[in-house]
Every structure is written in C-alpha cells, then in structure tokens.
Amino acid sequence: MAHFGVLGPLTVEEPAGHWVALRGERQRTLLAVLLLNANQHVHVDVLVEALWPDRPPKSWTSNLHTYLSRLRDRIPGLRVEHGPPGYRLCAGTGELDLLAFRAAVAEGRQAGDAATASRHYRRALALWRGPVLAGLHVPRLDADVARLESERLAVFEDCVDAELTAGRHGELTGELQAMITEHPLRERLAAQLMIALHRAGRQGDSLEIYRRLRATLVEELGVEPGAEVRRVHAAVLRGEDPVPRMPPAVWPVCQLPPDIADFTGRDAEMAELTRVLGGGAGVPVAVLSGEPGAGKSTLAVRAAHRVRARFPDGQLYVPLAGRDIGDVLADLLRALGVPGPAVPDDVGSRAAVFRGRLTDRRVLVVLDDAADPGHVRTLLPGTPGCAVLVTSRRRLSGLAGAHRLPLGPLSDEDAASLLNRLAGTRVERERADAGRIIAACARLPLALRIAGSRLAIRPHLRLAELADRLEDEVRRLDELTVSDLAVRSSIALSYEGLRPATRRAFRLLGRCRLADLPAWAVTTLIDAPDADEAVEELIEASLLEAHGPDPTGEGRYRMHDLVRLYAAEGPAPEGGASTVLAATFALADAAAARLPRTVPMPAPAREPLAQPLPEELVARLLARPDDWFDAERANLVRLIGTLGARDALLLLDRLSVHLYLHGHYADMRAAYETVLAAAGEDRPLAALAEANLALLRHARGEYEEAAVRYRACAKELESHGDHRAHAWVTANLAHCLIGLGRAEEALSTAAHARELFTGPEPVLVRAAESAALLRLGRVTEAREVDRAALTSARATGDPQQISTALHGFAWSSLLTGDQTQASAAIEESVTLLRGTVARSALAKSLRTLGAIAAADSREHAMAAFGEARELARALDERPRELSCTRALAAGWIGEGRAAQAIPVLRACLEEFREMGGKSATGLTWLVLRRAYEATGDAVAAGEAMREAARLMDPRDASAAALRRVLLALTEAA
C-alpha cells in the first residue's frame, strides 16, 4: 500500500517511491477526511459536509461513489471499507505519518528514563513537515486540524520536560524562544524557558520572560499567570532550581478499578455513554444519576474500560464520597507526577495545576459518587481531548452542558440473567419463584446482587423460601443484606444528605402506597409551605422520580418500591393524607357522574361528596373524566385494597363506571375480589361483590357459572331486603339464560325482574324480554316490546338508552320483514354511539348492522363485522368477538377461502361449547358445513349438518335470521 502524509501538505507515495498526483480538489478532500480518521468509520454526513460545505448536489450519492472509485484507481492497494456506520480507511503505523507520530509519542510516554523518552518524542516531531494538510482548506476539518496542532505542541512540551530532566537545558533556549514567539500566551512553554534560562545562569532573562508573559496575559486576557508558572517564578527569585513541570514516565496512568465479570445488561446505556464520551466539541461530561442501588458505579467502570483506547494518556478514577476536594486534588497531582513540595496549598491553585497537567492530553476522568456540582466543576479538564464521566445519586442540575443519563432498574430479561449468573442454573428451573424475587428486588442491580449472593452462599436455600421472605414488606430490607452489601445503608446515604423538611416529606410520601401520585396529591400530602422545594430536592437526590404530565395535565411522581419501604420505616409524621383521600373520593364521585353508566348494576344511593380541592383545579382534572380515570386507575385499584369494605365498595362502584365502559374487566375483577375478601361477615356487602363478579363471568361468556352465581346472589339479596340489587341481578340472569338457550326460563325471569323494579324498569329488562320472545318465535310481540322501549328511551333524551333501544327495535324489525325500518334504526344506533365513549354498545350495534346489511351489501356487512370484532377484542368481550369472527369466516367461504375458514371456525366452535351456548354452537356447525362442502369433504359436512340440527331450536327466530345472514355470506361473492 502507498504511504500517506497529512502532517504537512497532503502526500501520497507509491511503494516504488513515486509520488501520486491527485486530480481535483474533492478527491483530495475526501482522502484527507478519511486519513485524519484512519481506522475509524466516518459517517456519510461528515463526508458530504466536507465535500460540499454549502449545499450538496442532488446527485451527491453517485458523486461520492465516483470519487471513491477514482481514489481506488489512482492509489494502488487503497483499503476503504463501507458499512452501516460509514466509510473507513484502513492503514497501518508505517503507512500514515499521523499514526507513526502517535505511536512514537506513546513509546516516549512509556519510556523508563528521560533520555529515552526524549528520543522517541524527537522522532515523532520530526515527522511534521509543516501545518496539517497545508495548502488544502476543508472547513469541516478545521477543528481536527486545530486539535492536531495542539497535540503537536503538547508533545513538544513533553519532549522539553524530558530533556530538562535529562539536563539538556543548554540546547533548548533557542528553540523555546522561537516557540514562545509563536505562542506568547502558552504558560507551559514560558515556564520551561524560564527553567532553561535559569539553569544556564541567566536569572534575569528568566525573570524577564515571566514579566513579559504576565503583561501579555493581563493586557489580552485580563488574567494573572497560573499556579505552575508562578511557582517557577518564585523558585527563580529564590535562586532555586525549579522542579521540572512534568517528570517523565507518568503517562499513561490508569486508576480504573477492575471491571466486573458478571456485569449484565445496560446495552443501550453503554452505547449512549460510548457515543457521548467519544465525540463532541470541548470536554464532554456525562452524568450517570439514579436511585440508590441502580448500579451507577458499576456501569461507569464498565464504560470507562470500554473506551480506554480513546484516551491513551490515561484514565483517572476519583471516589468523591465524603472526601475533601483539596485532598482529592492533592492525590491526583501526586498521581500525575507532581512532587509533594510542589503541590500548592490552596484548592484553586491545585485545580489550576491539575488542569495544566491535562492540557492537550487525552485522559478520561471518572468522578464516582459526586454530590456537589462545584466539586465536579473544579475537576474538569480545560482542553479538548479529555472527557469526564460522573456518577451521582443526585441529578447535578447545576452542572451546565452535561449530558445526563438517568439510570433506572434493569429490564425483566436482564434482571433474570443477572440472577441466573449469580445463583446458578436453578434460577432457570424455578422461574416462577425467580420472578417473585426479581419483583421484590424491583429489578435493582444491588438488591439482585444481594439476593443472588445469598442463594449462591446457601445452595440448599429454596428460591421459594427467599421469595416468601422478600415479599414480606416488613422484613424485605432486612433480607436484602449480605456481607458489606445492604440496600438499606445505600438508601440511608442519600437520606442523610437531605434537609429536615425534605426528610419529613420523604417519610410522608413513603407511607403512601400508591403506584404514583399526581402533583396536587404530593403537595397536599406534604402540607407545608416549602413542599415544592422538598419535592425538587428529592428528585435531585434520585429518591423520587418525576414524570410528566398525565392526560389531565398533572405531573406525576413515583417512589421506587425499595426506597418507599425505607421511607416508611419509623414513626409517621403528620401530613395531609386525610385530605388527599377525601379529594380522591370526591373526584371519583364527580368523574363517574359525568360518564354514562353502562354497568348493569345499581349505584349505591349517596349524596355528592364535598371536594376540598380548589374549583379551578377540579375543573381541569375532570374536563375529560375518562382521562382522569385512566391516569388514576392503578392508584384507585390499589387504594381499594387499603380501605374498609364499605368505603372500598363505594369507591369501586364509581371506578366501575369507567372500567366496565372500557372493558377493563381484569382490574374490575381483582378489585371486587378484594372487596369480597374484606367483607368478612358482612353478607349484604359480600353479596353485592359476588353479584358484580358474576356479571364479569357473564361478560366473558362463562354462562353456566354466571347463572349459578346470579341465582345465589339473587336469593341472598332478597333475604337481606336489597330489592334494587335483586332486580338488577334478576335482569342480568335473564340475559344469561338467553345465552344458554333457555328462552322460556329467560322470559319468566325477565317478567320477574320487571315486577321487582319499583320505578320504570331499565332498557335491560325489555331487551331480555324481547330476546326471549324472539327465541320462542313470538316475533310480533317482541317488536312491540322493543317499540315501547324505544318510545320510553326517546323520552329520556339519553343517547345511551336510545341507542340500546334502537338496537333491539332494529333486530325485531328485521325479523318481522321490515328491512327498511331495521336498517334505519341500526344506522341511527351506530351514529349515536359513535358520539359516546360506550364502545361495548357500539360493538354490539355494529355486529347487528353487519347482519342487517348482509342482504344488501356484502362489503358493508364485512366492514361492520370487522370493526365490531376489533372493538370486542379490545374490550375482552369474547362471545361478541367470536360471533363476529364466525361471520367473517363465513364471508371467506364466499370469497373462495374455505380452507382458511375451517380452523378458525373449529376454534370458535370449541369456545362456544365451553360457554354452553347451544344456538351459537349450532350456527357455527352450519357455517362449518358450508366450508366442508366447499372443500369437497362430504363426510365432515354431513356430520356438521347433524350436529347443527341437534342443537338448533326451530322456534328461535333470531337464530333463523342469523342462519340466513351467515349462509348468504357463504355464497360466492
């Protein structure tokens, strides 16, 4: 390969000794950029900016490829690789003068004596033929060129230090005077010239150098000379031999602790730190902050080892916790070769000498456990080439220009991997218990390391036993201790640094067991004039996380579980907890009142609750009540578990308005099970909880079990005299019986429900009565019931009731042959529901719209069925989702995709069987029959027909209508 030169004019020399002439400025520019970044990937954007600093042409991609191709043609053996990061020119030390220069410098810094170091430095400096890339101006490379010139000057100064140490001062004065003329503000050069002149017996000339330097600095910069040159000046005044500024053999220096072999995860954070520390103008500063035990120091050490090659002059590791900054600086200066007597007395002077030692060096400074931004600023290098990595429990918000990387818990996968590496393969075998341990440790590396170490120390300790201990919140922090590692003491270090008022706020927040808190609740809970300052201090100390704003516009705050346990220890301070609870109850009450009540159970009679919060705050929070419930849902479910059974039931009733409306059945089920467990001997309250749990089974299609539970609840509610709840449960039972195909029983149950209601019965009762009549073939009677229900609903003006009544009237109209009335009614129902948040009712009306539209437009019908299925799936309403899926599969048969429809229909069949719905199962057999016929499987088709005939009730008008719809969809499109 050719030999390249950039330390002077750009040159390319062939192996045979011939010089390669490059035609065109852009070819030379492209080669220059690649050479200055030899063996590193250069992003395409950098190349484009260098080649076309103003504006690249539209054909820049092809132009760039052309320039690279021509370079390869002109230069034999040129190795330029292309990958996702960009282009990389590969070169060895003997092929590029810049690489040879740095290799010689590295040898000099590793030399064992001053004379040897000097020879290596002189060899490196001899490679310079003039200014970098002389004669070629590339604006994109200005910073790189300036950095190389600074690097050359620093090497010259290192060389002078080595030669002064070796006693060659007599040979240096002329060279130094020439350099001072070129760099009149360079203090290190001035100090070296002063030493050389003083040793040559020219004390006066030495002092004159200082006088001129001081005058220039004051006049041009308005500053006095730094500590190092002042020290040399003082020594010259006393007639003493100044100590050489930079004794040889201190570079490179590596103080990093060893990397941890079982380090796990943090790939994204590692990539971000690598990027930040390796690039950017000036001195990049990265701050790793996070809660106690997040693994900040461990990640910092791993990252520092990862980027060592970028900082060949060394890596300094500075533990700051509890140390005086003056002592820290003294230790650093001694590590950098400053003899004890030469260490200045005051902190400012020590910091100046420290910055001077790092001038134009490439050193990584790791500051571990910093608490004060001022200390970090004191330890920042002054020149580009260095970088600083800081770990802190605090955010260090006062540190301007820093890149902040907050460190949270590990991912579930990384947490399991770490526990497995620490405790062995039994973690993989006992995954469920390992998951419990990980959850109790909140995925924090310190806690996981302690748990894993305990398991490793005691191979016979079952994971289940440790998980049981850790799940006991009273003893969890006691269990998370092994040897000198303890989660409690790690958190205590952060706690002890708080102001007394902030400690009080910390303990108050720790006793609040909610998932997270809105801003209004935090300030109300702390109930102090300086609540905002306390919150900011907790966030700064990484003891509280701020998230922001939720759908209501409120900021959210969260305390990590282990931190919360620590905060909850000890006596509870007084605060505004009762006000927060009262406000939450009142907000839930008001939010529920603004939503349509779709849950088919009666609301407990209760006066609106007094609201302690300001009216304007309440108005903002509840501007969209669904948003408030979404933001607070997890908190309300958790709060229900901390209340007495009666208060819990009242709060849950309000929350259920939102949960049932949006199909959050899992939360609703968990909350009612909590209330049921808390009810104890309070059987009337327990019966209400059980009735709601039966309702959720009904919604999931578990008809048999739901019917059994409805009957038991109805009987108990009747015995307690709760006529309202008894009436609603009876109406729900009627609907459940329809799903089971027991039309006669459903009709009589609906009639009984109507008798139980003391006022106007809800649409729910008439809908059950109509559905039962249709199953019995009494279509005309059903339509009259639906017509009366629609008249009553329109009188209320409630869109929810009207749309529900329209749905029933549309279906019975279809069954009486009035297609026009049916289409108009169902279209109106869907239109009304699209303007509400009642997605379950919308899914039901869309499904019926699909059935009614099938006679006129297959496309319209399939679209309605598809939309209804997606809504039902999102709400976890399995029966409706299955019936829509069956209709869509019928359409596939008509489109010639019968083979695709068969496995889908078989799956529907199994679930309908489990639910106990005879009609739904029979209809599915009918569609399967058509699918089998379409695929030529006559035997299976015959079996499907027999099963359908066995299950279908010939009186069932609804089933007959659905049969016509489904079979029509199976016809060829």
Side-chain angles (χ1 to χ4, degrees), residues 420 423-434 459 463:
N420 187 68
T425 55
R426 56 182 171 147
V427 171
E428 187 68 23
R429 294 196 304 270
E430 303 174 48
R431 289 185 182 181
D433 292 321
L463 268 68

Side-chain angles (χ1 to χ4, degrees), residues 536-826:
E536 288 176 6
E537 186 176 355
L538 288 173
I539 294 170
E540 183 71 17
S542 299
L543 293 173
L544 188 68
E545 294 178 12
H547 300 278
D550 63 23
T552 71
E554 282 291 282
R556 310 291 299 191
Y557 298 93
R558 178 185 177 276
M559 188 173 281
H560 193 279
D561 285 348
L562 296 179
V563 174
R564 177 181 58 78
L565 291 177
Y566 179 87
E569 293 182 338
E574 293 184 1
S578 59
T579 306
V580 173
L581 184 61
T584 302
F585 258 93
L587 286 169
D589 193 59
R594 301 183 188 192
L595 292 175
R597 186 177 179 90
T598 58
V599 54
M601 286 295 291
R606 182 170 176 173
E607 292 296 321
L609 300 173
Q611 176 56 263
L613 297 180
E615 289 184 8
E616 60 274 14
L617 174 61
V618 174
R620 177 168 63 79
L621 292 176
L622 299 185
R624 293 182 297 275
D626 261 324
D627 285 349
W628 184 82
F629 273 124
D630 274 334
E632 300 296 344
R633 188 173 92 204
N635 278 340
L636 294 174
V637 171
R638 186 174 292 192
L639 181 60
I640 285 164
T642 68
L643 299 172
R646 293 240 160 234
D647 284 340
L649 184 65
L650 291 172
L651 179 59
L652 178 52
D653 175 77
R654 271 57 178 177
L655 175 60
S656 292
V657 173
H658 168 77
L659 296 179
Y660 194 85
L661 182 63
H662 295 284
H664 300 310
Y665 299 142
D667 280 349
M668 198 170 167
R669 181 181 298 107
Y672 272 111
E673 286 173 348
T674 299
V675 171
L676 181 60
E681 299 302 317
D682 189 343
R683 289 310 306 163
L685 189 148
L688 288 172
E690 288 173 341
N692 279 279
L693 288 169
L695 174 66
L696 296 173
R697 288 184 176 276
H698 185 176
R700 284 282 299 150
E702 300 170 18
Y703 297 133
E704 289 284 4
E705 183 64 24
V708 171
R709 289 174 179 254
Y710 276 143
R711 286 195 175 93
C713 290
K715 185 176 181 181
E716 189 162 7
L717 289 166
E718 183 179 22
S719 69
H720 297 312
D722 191 341
H723 301 298
R724 291 175 69 244
H726 181 200
W728 280 94
V729 169
T730 304
N732 288 332
L733 173 60
H735 278 278
C736 191
L737 292 169
I738 292 167
L740 288 168
R742 303 174 192 170
E744 292 92 343
E745 189 179 357
L747 185 60
S748 62
T749 303
H752 180 45
R754 178 183 287 188
E755 294 170 0
L756 290 173
F757 280 99
T758 55
E761 71 272 12
V763 176
L764 177 77
V765 178
R766 297 194 181 216
E769 186 178 355
S770 171
L773 288 168
L774 291 174
R775 296 288 179 119
L776 294 170
R778 295 158 62 178
V779 178
T780 304
E781 294 176 62
R783 193 182 190 197
E784 290 309 310
V785 169
D786 289 329
R787 190 191 303 277
L790 179 57
T791 301
S792 299
R794 288 197 188 278
T796 68
D798 180 0
Q800 180 73 30
Q801 291 193 49
I802 296 171
S803 60
T804 301
L806 280 165
H807 173 272
F809 183 66
W811 187 244
S812 57
S813 294
L814 177 71
L815 268 60
T816 57
D818 192 342
Q819 177 78 23
T820 302
Q821 189 75 60
S823 298
I826 200 61

Side-chain angles (χ1 to χ4, degrees), residues 372-448:
D372 186 344
H375 288 176
V376 176
R377 284 191 287 268
T378 300
L379 296 170
L380 293 181
T383 56
C386 293
V388 180
L389 175 55
V390 186
T391 74
S392 179
R393 295 161 184 266
R394 298 180 171 271
R395 286 178 48 82
L396 301 183
S397 300
L399 197 59
H403 180 92
R404 288 177 175 80
L405 178 58
L407 202 60
L410 294 171
S411 66
D412 288 327
E413 182 180 351
D414 288 340
S417 178
L418 177 58
L419 191 63
N420 187 68
R421 296 181 72 173
L422 292 166
T425 55
R426 56 182 171 147
V427 171
E428 187 68 23
R429 294 196 304 270
E430 303 174 48
R431 289 185 182 181
D433 292 321
R436 293 167 58 203
I437 293 173
I438 290 168
C441 292
R443 295 180 283 116
L444 276 184
L446 175 61
L448 288 166

Side-chain angles (χ1 to χ4, degrees), residues 284-347:
V285 179
V287 176
L288 264 177
S289 63
E291 56 202 312
K296 301 178 291 293
S297 298
T298 306
L299 175 58
V301 171
R302 166 59 64 98
H305 278 285
R306 179 74 62 85
V307 299
R308 273 191 64 193
R310 299 184 183 179
F311 302 97
D313 291 325
Q315 304 84 40
L316 300 174
Y317 182 82
V318 188
L320 290 174
R323 298 183 65 197
D324 177 77
I325 191 64
D327 294 340
V328 169
L329 280 164
D331 288 346
L332 282 170
L333 292 181
R334 283 189 286 271
L336 295 177
V338 178
V343 174
D345 293 332
D346 64 284
V347 171

Side-chain angles (χ1 to χ4, degrees), residues 858 890 926-927 929-930 962-972:
R858 171 192 292 270
L926 280 173
V927 181
R929 174 202 171 191
R930 284 296 181 91
L962 282 174
R963 174 176 179 166
R964 290 192 296 273
V965 168
L966 294 170
L967 294 182
L969 290 173
T970 65
E971 297 295 334

